[in-house]
Amino acid sequence: MAVLGGIKNMFSRKEKSKDFNPLNTTWIMDKMNLCNEEDEKALKPVPLVGHLASRAQMVIMLGVMIFASLLFAVVAFLSFNNAGRYAEMRAISTEMQMLSQRLSRGMSQALLGYGEGFEVMENSSTRFGANLAALRSRTGFLMEVPEQLETISQIWDRTFSPDANRLSIQSLIDQKGNLLSLSERINLANSSDALLNILARDFMQLATTRMSARDQVHAAQLPFLISQMSRYTNSLLSGESYNPEWVPQLLLSVDHFNRLVTAFKSGDATLGVAPLSDPDLLRLFGRIVENSKAYEQLKDLVHKNNAGLVNARIASLAILRDADLLLDETTQLAAFYEQNTSSWVSTVSELVLAAIAFGALYLLVRVFNQEAVRRRVQSESEN
């Protein structure tokens, strides 16, 4: 009997061990508790739109992500386009620096009557105006308009843009023919000046033996008047500019010379000069008259066009002043475009839009996970 009781007790313990294992129960409960904590974390509402239905949250997040992505693409395209524009505008402003220097140099040469100077000045003016218009038209969205560009526009409109109501570079260009003729007449007078002085001195020396004492006094005035005309003629374009203050002296000296020439040719009772009759004196006198024609032509040119030439000089002073200002402003403008080839505004905008798009994608995935966890939990609770 004792043996049978021991066997019965042995089998009873085995059945109890098979039906109940406290370690296995504890492990299962721990796993269930862990899943519950993860589910609670996954089911935490997303910011701002967590109170809405899951489908509405998904639509909003998807819409925000698509909108931010499209806007990012647009801003990136505009940024790339603006970078190209800034590089092109920097090249244009660099060329404008060179053109402002050529404007000043061409103006100085043009005022002295050099045709090449007019060509340089007109070409530089045309190209500068075209470049300025190009810079104005190329300024677009997300592109900062520099102060230097506005200043250059004001200077250009003030001095270089043609306007019938004020002096401008066109006032100088309009006097091209007169300045070229003026330079030509001055060069012609200078080329004959040495011979004219020699003839006048020979005439004065010959007069000492073949003219009366009174006529000798007037003959001695010829070298002096010729010297005066030569000095005043060269003073007209001294200092690389037209100098109208010498015009009255030039006109007066030429008039005195012409009056004396007329007196020797036809006689003048007022001056007490008898007409020339000696063949040698007449020969010298004829050569003096022939070589002094350049002064008479110069006198007529200056007398008729002095007002226009004065306007050209005033315009040239404004051009010289503003060309230096244009050089300074275009230098600063080129530096501005160099610094803004990569715009910080577009860079910040791209970073913000990229962050919004990735944030919306993250929240969209999170809402999907919430919906999946919610359905699983609901299914488990029903089963």
Side-chain angles (χ1 to χ4, degrees), residues 265-318:
K265 183 183 299 184
S266 305
D268 190 325
T270 304
L271 296 177
V273 178
L276 293 175
S277 59
D278 184 84
D280 293 332
L281 289 175
L282 285 172
R283 178 179 54 81
L284 287 174
F285 183 75
R287 295 183 64 186
I288 290 173
V289 173
E290 182 67 24
N291 285 275
S292 64
K293 288 182 178 179
Y295 289 106
E296 183 64 27
Q297 295 171 354
L298 180 62
K299 171 199 168 185
D300 293 338
L301 176 65
V302 172
H303 181 71
K304 294 178 181 178
N305 302 285
N306 186 56
L309 292 173
V310 169
N311 289 337
R313 180 179 187 271
I314 296 174
S316 70
L317 295 176

Side-chain angles (χ1 to χ4, degrees), residues 198-270:
I198 293 174
L199 293 173
R201 285 197 297 269
D202 290 345
F203 183 85
M204 180 183 66
Q205 291 175 359
L206 188 59
T208 57
T209 59
R210 303 188 183 185
M211 297 178 68
S212 64
R214 178 176 295 182
D215 291 344
Q216 290 179 23
V217 172
H218 292 294
Q221 294 181 6
L222 282 177
F224 173 73
L225 291 175
I226 291 173
S227 177
Q228 271 192 336
M229 291 191 299
S230 177
R231 183 170 67 254
Y232 297 148
T233 295
N234 289 285
S235 298
L236 284 178
L237 294 180
S238 63
E240 298 185 350
S241 178
Y242 176 71
N243 302 298
E245 61 271 16
W246 293 104
V247 170
Q249 290 90 329
L250 175 63
L251 297 181
L252 185 61
S253 62
V254 174
D255 286 339
H256 286 170
F257 178 82
N258 290 336
R259 183 181 179 186
L260 190 57
V261 166
T262 303
F264 281 125
K265 183 183 299 184
S266 305
D268 190 325
T270 304

